[in-house]
Amino acid sequence: MESGHSGYTVGIARENTQAPGVGSTPEAHSTPGAGRFAPSPSGDFHLGNLRTYTLAWLFARSTGRRMLYRIEDIDQQRSHDSAALDQMEDLASFGMDWDGEPIKQSDRFPLYDDALHWLAEHGWVYECYCSRKDIREASRAPHVAPGMYPGTCRNLTDEQRHEQRAKLAEQGRKPAIRFNAHAAYEAVADNDPTANGSHTTPGLWTIHEDFATSGQQSESAPPSESTPSSVPNTYSGPVDDIVLHRGDGNWAYNLAVVVDDLTMGVDQITRGDDLLSSAPAQNFLATALHPWATHASATTSATPAVHPTRWRYNHVPLVVTKQEMKGHENTNRQLKRLAKRDGAVTVRELGHDTAWAWVAQSLGHSEYASAPELLQVIDLEAMSHEPVVWTPPQ
């Protein structure tokens, strides 16, 4: 794929749209792999989105990586081509570029299907018949870690599966497909020497986390296994039987992003720190799928899939607002994640100049008017790890 682009040729177009700045040439990249923008085109960026994507661009460019663009329109009911175009225009207006043409998840469903079939051939998937209520009630058991699937459908007999399918059919429902992480874990641990350092504790998986934590353990890890890592810049959490294909017929986010990152040659993922606890399980799925991704038919990038145990993560602070709580001191418990319902918080509501000025100020460099200018001066390692509070103008 050639670097740069002459327009938005991703199956959507806007009359008289000018192309964003051309990405750097492949020769300019000193580091294999890539970072990525991965917005969902459900509406305008708010300040939290803009700050996170600015950091994603800065982390990628400051480490000599390519920057790729993926439109995460897997939820087609909430996705809009006009929003995708607005988002690209907004990032370009702040000087952020990317390499190659943007891709759309909605064009990649056959790739997800191929990956799912590969997992099935290895015996690493199973049908799940649970409702959300079933999972919520089963998760209350003392032996189940918070947020983890309790394994209700993992080891059902063929007869039990037949009965459960019939019950769902009577309700007009179909089963979801889950990753059998427990079956895959043993195979990957035994057969993939590259993954040796990622599974030092049975049932846990370790990722390289370069920002959010240093030697900390996932909160979702069982207490008996929750010991801090002795290796700096790592983060460990339990593997999980995550959903790959939903019962409503839609592809699950967990499979789509893993397949996309693998086949696009991504090796640096920058996103909000609310997603940190899910990263080990997603990285383990990526590791299990790596042999599939290295097959020539799965490769969609000029750069081969980077082994997931070498991926680098940056989970950055969220933008939050203060909640009014009578009778309580001003503590972090009063902070909530910024959302569009908090008033005029989107780039287009505030205006590009105001939105960028706030983002630049939140990064400690209010005097710089674009991302390329910021790139020349910012020290990402010195950036605060605390949530960033948005206070509406009075």
Side-chain angles (χ1 to χ4, degrees):
M1 183 178 290
E2 294 182 355
S3 180
H5 39 80
S6 58
Y8 303 125
T9 57
V10 289
I12 52 180
R14 175 171 291 163
E15 187 177 0
N16 299 324
T17 293
Q18 298 297 313
V22 175
S24 50
T25 61
E27 292 77 19
H29 303 300
S30 59
T31 304
R36 40 78 154 174
F37 295 120
S40 298
S42 58
D44 293 339
F45 286 144
H46 61 57
L47 290 174
N49 303 137
L50 177 59
R51 189 177 191 274
T52 297
Y53 289 127
T54 299
L55 286 169
W57 187 87
L58 292 169
F59 274 114
R61 294 310 195 196
S62 67
T63 53
R65 285 176 166 85
R66 294 174 301 134
M67 190 67 182
L68 306 178
Y69 199 110
R70 180 169 75 233
I71 300 169
E72 297 205 334
D73 60 346
I74 195 169
D75 185 345
Q76 295 187 283
Q77 289 187 333
R78 298 181 64 245
S79 299
H80 306 283
D81 287 350
S82 60
L85 287 165
D86 288 345
Q87 291 173 348
M88 285 187 278
E89 290 173 357
D90 288 345
L91 292 176
S93 73
F94 302 121
M96 286 178 267
D97 60 355
W98 52 89
D99 301 287
E101 301 292 350
I103 70 160
K104 297 175 70 176
Q105 285 188 329
S106 57
D107 293 333
R108 297 165 68 81
F109 290 174
L111 198 61
Y112 307 151
D113 190 61
D114 191 59
L116 184 62
H117 276 83
W118 187 89
L119 290 170
E121 288 171 357
H122 285 74
W124 295 346
V125 302
Y126 61 89
E127 291 182 347
C128 177
Y129 316 98
C130 297
S131 65
R132 291 183 180 179
K133 180 181 178 182
D134 294 334
I135 296 172
R136 188 166 55 249
E137 292 179 350
S139 297
R140 293 172 182 159
H143 65 282
V144 178
M148 300 285 291
Y149 178 65
T152 308
C153 298
R154 186 186 305 135
N155 298 314
L156 298 180
T157 65
D158 290 343
E159 181 179 356
Q160 289 172 323
R161 294 190 185 282
H162 180 76
E163 292 175 357
Q164 292 296 330
R165 275 190 221 108
K167 288 180 181 179
L168 288 188
E170 290 175 359
Q171 303 169 23
R173 296 169 52 207
K174 293 183 178 180
I177 306 297
R178 286 187 179 273
F179 179 42
N180 192 334
H182 294 72
Y185 190 88
E186 184 175 345
V188 170
D190 288 345
N191 300 319
D192 188 344
T194 311
N196 282 343
S198 297
H199 56 87
T200 54
T201 303
L204 296 182
W205 196 253
T206 300
I207 63 168
H208 296 285
E209 171 57 47
D210 289 338
F211 185 80
T213 186
S214 177
Q216 297 299 309
Q217 188 72 24
S218 168
E219 292 180 1
S220 60
S224 62
E225 300 173 350
S226 182
T227 55
S229 168
S230 60
V231 182
N233 295 67
T234 63
Y235 180 87
S236 298
V239 300
D240 190 17
D241 290 7
I242 51 183
V243 172
L244 307 176
H245 192 263
R246 291 165 30 182
D248 61 7
N250 291 317
W251 291 104
Y253 167 83
N254 286 310
L255 178 68
V257 297
V258 162
V259 168
D260 290 338
D261 287 339
L262 276 169
T263 57
M264 292 171 68
V266 169
D267 74 333
Q268 185 189 72
I269 297 170
T270 301
R271 57 188 188 176
D273 59 13
D274 58 323
L275 298 174
L276 175 60
S277 63
S278 64
Q282 291 171 349
N283 186 270
F284 175 67
L285 173 61
T287 303
L289 275 169
H290 184 257
W292 164 82
T294 57
H295 191 275
S297 64
T299 302
T300 60
S301 169
T303 302
V306 178
H307 199 286
T309 57
R310 295 198 291 270
W311 289 5
R312 316 297 301 199
Y313 291 83
N314 300 295
H315 286 89
V316 299
L318 298 178
V319 175
V320 298
T321 59
K322 289 185 177 180
Q323 287 181 298
E324 295 295 330
M325 296 177 66
K326 294 181 180 180
H328 291 268
E329 295 181 0
N330 186 20
T331 68
N332 280 352
R333 277 180 257 178
Q334 292 180 244
L335 302 178
K336 69 180 183 69
R337 180 177 179 172
L338 183 71
K340 293 173 185 176
R341 60 179 174 271
D342 292 317
V345 296
T346 70
V347 171
R348 297 196 171 215
E349 289 171 326
L350 292 167
H352 285 67
D353 289 346
T354 299
W356 177 258
W358 185 88
V359 168
Q361 185 276 329
S362 78
L363 296 174
H365 294 280
S366 57
E367 67 274 27
Y368 294 99
S370 71
E373 292 179 30
L374 203 53
L375 179 62
Q376 303 305 312
V377 297
I378 194 167
D379 181 357
L380 293 168
E381 292 185 1
M383 192 172 67
S384 171
H385 291 220
E386 296 301 314
V388 184
V389 179
W390 157 253
T391 302
Q394 300 300 318

